[in-house]
Amino acid sequence: MMNGSVATENGGEGSSLIFLGTGCSSAVPNAMCLIQKSDPPCYVCSQSLSIPPERNPNYRGNTSLLIDYCQSDGKHKYIQIDVGKTFREQVLRWFTLHNIPQVDSIILTHEHADAVLGLDDIRSVQPFSPTNDIDPTPIFVSQFAMDSLAVKFPYLVQKKLKEGQEVRRVTQLDWRLIEEDCEKPFVASDLSFTPLPVMHGEDYVCLGFLFGEKSRVAYISDVSRFPPSTEYVISKSGGGQLDLLILDTLYKTGSHNTHLCFPQTLETIKRLCPKRALLIGMTHEFDHHKDNEFLDEWSKREGISVKLAHDGLRVPIDL
């Protein structure tokens, strides 16, 4: 942090990762902390009343990552992972700050509200056509997610209008199925991705993704347990050391049935042994500055650089 502004790491003209959101499903600030104030007030949430989001790393939207992929010819492709409830706000705040002109493809980790309820707003970053006469944006989803989204958003999935149905401007998507299998990679906007199936509660499979040839990056936003086959792919002792692990951490203490919490997250990082880790998915229990001070000491002790990410963070990386 310098001069009270949310820090970024300028990536110049190369590839970079932009953290559009780093918070839990209910986001931060927690609304209840503002409408039913505790005594003393919640420090993290009450900051939102006096510090603008652009200068407040404790202001967190739904977890989402934008990959700014610079190809060998210098052209940029923009790949969005997850489109949650706070997507429009993230576009207005972070697309404008980082000069992001469009979304070239979308990848979904799963079909929960905090990952998909912004899909209707994708039309705001597509060319305007009142008759929907535009090229659809490719969107990569599992079959399970596809079946759920066909119920949540039937008007985004149907291919043809029914007889007598009026034309209405809606997001135009090109639905592409991917498999929940580490052995079945796919390509989005010329960048290869390996699905990383993880448990998001014992009754639910969520996807993380491994990507990058020059740097190995794993993005895992919603996880409570790693199947052995997935853990092997991203561990130093297995498929090879990650250059960057982006990992879920919900609460500061205790445990949770559908997410890793801080103690389990740090144990997982020690087990996987990436070169560097950035944490996402935090509730209002986390204070960005204080907890990063703790992580600085932890990192020195364990020999792995770990920090809390924040909304708007841009990390240059060679993909």
Side-chain angles (χ1 to χ4, degrees):
M1 291 281 288
M2 295 182 64
N3 300 322
S5 299
V6 171
T8 61
E9 300 180 30
N10 289 324
E13 297 301 318
S15 297
S16 61
L17 308 177
I18 300 171
F19 289 76
L20 299 178
T22 58
C24 57
S25 181
S26 55
V28 181
N30 185 317
M32 287 296 286
C33 288
L34 301 182
I35 65 175
Q36 294 185 12
K37 297 179 181 178
S38 59
D39 185 17
C42 171
Y43 174 74
V44 166
C45 291
S46 60
Q47 283 182 330
S48 68
L49 298 176
S50 58
I51 304 175
E54 293 82 1
R55 296 195 290 113
N56 182 5
N58 283 323
Y59 190 101
R60 304 179 181 114
N62 292 157
T63 297
S64 179
L65 185 74
L66 186 79
I67 303 168
D68 177 355
Y69 176 44
C70 182
Q71 301 173 293
S72 58
D73 60 2
K75 293 181 180 178
H76 287 249
K77 293 289 184 72
Y78 303 94
I79 306 162
Q80 172 107 15
I81 301 182
D82 285 344
V83 188
K85 295 177 284 183
T86 56
F87 172 69
R88 184 176 183 275
E89 181 181 353
Q90 291 163 343
V91 169
L92 297 178
R93 182 162 293 124
W94 306 123
F95 278 45
T96 55
L97 177 67
H98 294 298
N99 299 313
I100 304 302
Q102 73 234 16
V103 173
D104 293 302
S105 57
I106 300 163
I107 304 172
L108 297 182
T109 59
H110 63 315
E111 44 71 63
H112 286 170
D114 58 340
V116 306
L117 285 193
L119 285 174
D120 185 82
D121 282 322
I122 287 291
R123 63 178 171 167
S124 67
V125 294
Q126 291 183 321
F128 177 78
S129 169
T131 58
N132 298 318
D133 187 22
I134 62 172
D135 291 330
T137 302
I139 181 168
F140 298 83
V141 298
S142 69
Q143 183 66 65
F144 179 84
M146 180 79 244
D147 293 343
S148 175
L149 289 164
V151 176
K152 289 182 174 78
F153 294 105
Y155 63 96
L156 297 184
V157 174
Q158 71 178 67
K159 295 298 182 183
K160 295 182 180 179
L161 295 177
K162 298 175 183 177
E163 185 175 351
Q165 187 176 7
E166 294 282 359
V167 175
R168 290 175 172 84
R169 184 185 175 225
V170 298
T171 297
Q172 296 299 298
L173 298 170
D174 175 12
W175 298 90
R176 302 186 186 185
L177 292 178
I178 58 177
E179 297 194 44
E180 298 172 344
D181 188 339
C182 296
E183 301 294 326
K184 301 292 180 63
F186 64 96
V187 175
S189 296
D190 300 320
L191 185 62
S192 180
F193 292 82
T194 297
L196 300 172
V198 296
M199 304 313 297
H200 183 20
E202 287 303 305
D203 62 346
Y204 192 93
V205 175
C206 183
L207 292 178
F209 300 99
L210 174 68
F211 58 94
E213 294 183 1
K214 298 172 183 175
S215 300
R216 298 183 83 234
V217 181
Y219 179 84
I220 304 165
S221 61
D222 296 78
V223 56
S224 55
R225 182 175 63 83
F226 287 85
S229 57
T230 297
E231 181 161 325
Y232 178 85
V233 171
I234 58 174
S235 67
K236 182 179 180 180
S237 60
Q241 187 176 35
L242 295 172
D243 294 286
L244 175 61
L245 171 63
I246 301 168
L247 187 59
D248 185 20
T249 191
L250 186 66
Y251 295 126
K252 275 188 70 173
T253 60
S255 61
H256 193 271
N257 62 318
T258 63
H259 289 272
L260 295 179
C261 295
F262 202 39
Q264 299 90 48
T265 298
L266 294 180
E267 286 301 315
T268 300
I269 290 169
K270 287 199 291 185
R271 199 167 65 245
L272 297 178
C273 199
K275 294 179 182 177
R276 181 184 184 189
L278 289 168
L279 307 186
I280 56 174
M282 292 83 71
T283 65
H284 65 154
E285 292 186 2
F286 287 89
D287 179 87
H288 184 81
H289 299 298
K290 290 182 179 179
D291 291 313
N292 269 340
E293 288 176 4
F294 167 82
L295 284 171
D296 283 343
E297 293 302 315
W298 188 94
S299 298
K300 292 173 185 175
R301 185 170 66 249
E302 299 295 337
I304 304 171
S305 174
V306 182
K307 291 184 180 297
L308 301 183
H310 62 76
D311 290 23
L313 175 66
R314 184 170 196 152
V315 177
I317 193 160
D318 197 0
L319 297 173

